[in-house]
Amino acid sequence: MSAEQGGPADAVPNPPTSLDPDDWTALRADAHRMLDDMIDHIAQVRERPVWQPLPDDVRARFSAALPRGETPLGEVYADFTDAIAPYATGNVHPGFMGWVHGGGTAVGMLAEMLAAGLNANCGGRNHVGIEVERQIVRWVRELFGFPDTASGVFVTGSSMANFMALLVARAAALGPQVREGGLAGEPLTAYASAAAHGCVVQAADLAGLGRGAMRRIPFDAAHRIDIAALRRRIAEDRAAGFRPFLVTGSAGTVDTGAIDDLAALAQLCRDEALWFHIDGAYGSLGMLSPEIAPKLAGLSEADSIALDFHKWGQVNYDAGFLIVRDGEQHRATFAAPAAYLRRETRGLAGGSPWPCDFGPDLSRGFRALKTWFTLKTYGTERLGAMIAQTCAIARHLEARVRREPQLELLAPVTLNIVCFRYRAQSGMDADALNAEMVADLHESGMAAPSATTIDGHLAIRAAIVNHRTTYEDVDRMVDAVLKFGAARTG
Ligand SMILES: *Cc1c(COP(=O)(O)O)cnc(C)c1O
């Protein structure tokens, strides 16, 4: 398919309405420059600040009116290089430790470009994009110890996957008629730790159960759901006429990385006949590491798991995923019954069930390809070692925090997240001080941790997710914290 070989694209003139270039050679030159520049951008990420604020004049460029005429690609690209590329989130940078963001890879970027070239619509039909996604489903089953009857589907992220899992659990509890008749006053209740991600509560809201239907159960000193309190609350709800249907366990909470006792939750759900879902957004991929996997004991017993390849898996955004043990239950929650029965058995319209039968999206891109490239290129051993390494760096940071008299650890370190703060002098507002210091760090361009609240205290949270982050990077971050802390309190 090279230019030298020639091809139909070179030989046949474009119809006037086509958006293809008249000069493929010029496009090829632009394309190679963009690719080279972006590879440099990633390779030289350390030489730039983690993050920098968008200057007002740059921001103003995005207020220009809808373009009516054409602009040469080179000029549009020049806008990208000076107004867009320098002001991204920063999560490609090894100094980015905020929230729980993956770092992505150049391999994932290339796969994303190839997927865009194919421009496959992976909602359905009989083509290889669907088969690649099915292979990922098989790989996730294998990784999690799920049966061959389990189904899976790519989605934007775990917010969507947690929501969809709640809908599957709801249809399992009430029967498929809930899809026609709605809740009809059924007083459904669901359960999750008070440390669960906000999207777990949001799922109950979106599904029409109301946020209050997601009972937020207290957690223990290790930030794990209090199983006895959970049992009590379920019994109280049943006695009061509610209908418990779902427990969501956390495999890596977003604030501290705590892992609920998943085996105990699995047992409780069996005893109580409840759907056992796991929000494994980032932590479930700890299964890739033989060192981390034992912490996730019980994960394989879940009815469904939400996960993000775009966090610890380092797949470029976005690549969320939902796996459901009972694939038929999953399909029965989303497949449009009439359309499903009309499906062809041969031709391009054959080969169902399709991803659109397992979620609300019809048209959808080829997220599976960048995930497939990432898993094949690096292999699970290397990815698992990278995940274990982020945890080792977090333990190094924890030890450093414990050694520094000015710093205080605010939560136990289970995986790769360290929550700490700078000690304020008496009479000083420690929360305000630490919040200012987080912003100081961001604006310094040196490191970007985030802030969260632990036991009512504002914490500096460093989540080591990026595969590029080193021991030196976290030491530099601590040095900067000590410097800014001294400057603000001195
Ligand atoms: C990131 C995260 C989510 C939300 O996932 P998105 O991919 O951002 O939608 C949910 N739960 C946990 C524990 C997370 O870390």
Side-chain angles (χ1 to χ4, degrees):
M1 292 215 302
S2 76
E4 290 72 27
Q5 289 167 321
D10 294 314
V12 179
N14 280 327
T17 50
S18 168
L19 300 178
D20 281 335
D22 294 324
D23 181 354
W24 284 97
T25 307
L27 180 105
R28 199 183 301 272
D30 281 337
H32 286 187
R33 185 158 55 92
M34 289 183 202
L35 188 56
D36 281 339
D37 288 354
M38 192 45 82
I39 289 171
D40 287 344
H41 184 90
I42 299 171
Q44 296 159 10
V45 65
R46 279 189 177 280
E47 294 162 26
R48 297 192 306 273
V50 179
W51 173 85
Q52 52 183 329
L54 205 52
D56 289 341
D57 61 320
V58 174
R59 196 180 293 277
R61 290 166 68 171
F62 296 95
S63 308
L66 180 68
R68 297 182 65 87
E70 297 182 50
T71 310
L73 177 59
E75 273 178 46
V76 178
Y77 179 57
D79 277 350
F80 173 83
T81 53
D82 42 78
I84 294 179
Y87 306 107
T89 337
N91 52 310
V92 176
H93 197 289
F96 189 96
M97 301 166 199
W99 304 277
V100 177
H101 282 26
T105 66
V107 165
M109 172 185 83
L110 296 173
E112 191 75 316
M113 184 190 72
L114 300 178
L118 295 178
N119 194 30
N121 183 339
C122 291
R125 319 303 166 211
N126 190 8
H127 61 98
V128 74
I130 308 300
E131 206 50 48
V132 174
E133 184 156 346
R134 287 183 184 137
Q135 181 165 43
I136 307 283
V137 173
R138 289 190 283 270
W139 286 347
V140 174
R141 277 182 202 145
E142 185 182 335
L143 181 66
F144 289 170
F146 268 44
D148 290 349
T149 45
S151 53
V153 68
F154 274 97
V155 293
T156 42
S158 285
S159 301
M160 180 54 103
N162 282 319
F163 170 50
M164 285 163 55
L166 184 141
L167 296 179
V168 181
R170 187 185 69 162
L174 299 182
Q177 66 273 18
V178 65
R179 297 184 61 194
E180 188 64 31
L183 284 172
E186 280 291 347
L188 294 182
T189 52
Y191 305 80
S193 156
H197 193 276
C199 71
V200 170
V201 182
Q202 177 188 251
D205 170 3
L206 296 178
L209 271 59
R211 296 171 64 86
M214 182 61 71
R215 312 301 204 204
R216 316 226 37 208
I217 308 301
F219 50 83
D220 63 18
H223 292 248
R224 289 150 60 107
I225 190 168
D226 178 339
I227 305 272
L230 171 59
R231 277 196 194 275
R232 277 198 303 278
R233 186 66 203 262
I234 291 168
E236 283 163 20
D237 279 343
R238 286 199 204 279
F242 289 103
R243 186 165 171 185
F245 78 112
L246 163 70
V247 173
T248 295
S250 293
T253 60
V254 73
D255 278 337
T256 69
I259 303 168
D260 288 338
D261 184 340
L262 302 176
L265 288 179
Q267 186 57 51
L268 179 148
C269 287
R270 275 194 297 271
D271 296 346
E272 301 277 351
L274 303 176
W275 188 277
F276 178 31
H277 173 68
I278 293 178
D279 176 9
Y282 89 87
S284 62
L285 285 183
M287 291 297 280
L288 288 165
S289 160
E291 193 180 311
I292 309 296
K295 293 178 191 270
L296 295 162
L299 181 116
S300 299
E301 296 172 62
D303 291 305
S304 53
I305 303 174
L307 68 141
D308 283 327
F309 287 105
H310 56 225
K311 290 174 176 169
W312 249 353
Q314 314 295 337
V315 172
N316 302 57
Y317 281 87
D318 50 33
F321 198 84
L322 172 65
I323 183 162
V324 178
R325 174 178 302 276
D326 180 346
E328 186 44 37
Q329 192 68 62
H330 185 185
R331 197 192 57 77
T333 304
F334 294 105
Y340 188 72
L341 292 174
R342 273 202 317 274
R343 293 281 167 74
E344 306 295 338
T345 53
R346 49 187 288 265
L348 177 54
S352 72
W354 297 325
C356 67
D357 299 317
F358 294 94
D361 294 320
L362 181 52
S363 293
R364 51 203 287 284
F366 196 177
R367 293 188 182 103
L369 191 68
K370 57 194 171 186
T371 308
W372 187 83
F373 260 83
T374 302
L375 288 168
K376 273 178 80 84
T377 303
Y378 299 107
T380 59
E381 288 176 8
R382 181 153 174 209
L383 291 172
M386 172 272 297
I387 283 170
Q389 170 81 355
T390 62
C391 295
I393 294 172
R395 288 194 298 275
H396 170 83
L397 173 56
E398 175 191 14
R400 173 91 194 267
V401 167
R402 288 185 190 281
R403 274 201 314 277
E404 295 290 348
Q406 285 304 325
L407 302 180
E408 180 184 2
L409 193 72
L410 289 184
V413 178
T414 307
L415 292 171
N416 59 335
I417 300 180
V418 184
C419 291
F420 66 100
R421 66 172 174 171
Y422 193 84
R423 291 182 203 272
Q425 289 139 347
S426 61
M428 253 187 150
D429 179 345
D431 288 357
L433 170 70
N434 281 277
E436 290 298 329
M437 285 172 52
V438 168
D440 288 344
L441 284 162
H442 293 175
E443 287 169 5
S444 76
M446 230 183 290
S450 50
T452 191
T453 306
I454 303 288
D455 303 330
H457 301 302
L458 189 130
I460 301 175
R461 176 182 56 166
I464 316 303
V465 188
N466 191 320
H467 57 99
R468 302 180 180 95
T469 304
T470 62
Y471 292 95
E472 292 74 31
D473 287 314
V474 297
D475 278 327
R476 254 194 298 280
M477 188 264 296
V478 173
D479 294 342
V481 166
L482 294 173
K483 190 184 94 183
F484 287 126
R488 285 197 169 268
T489 57

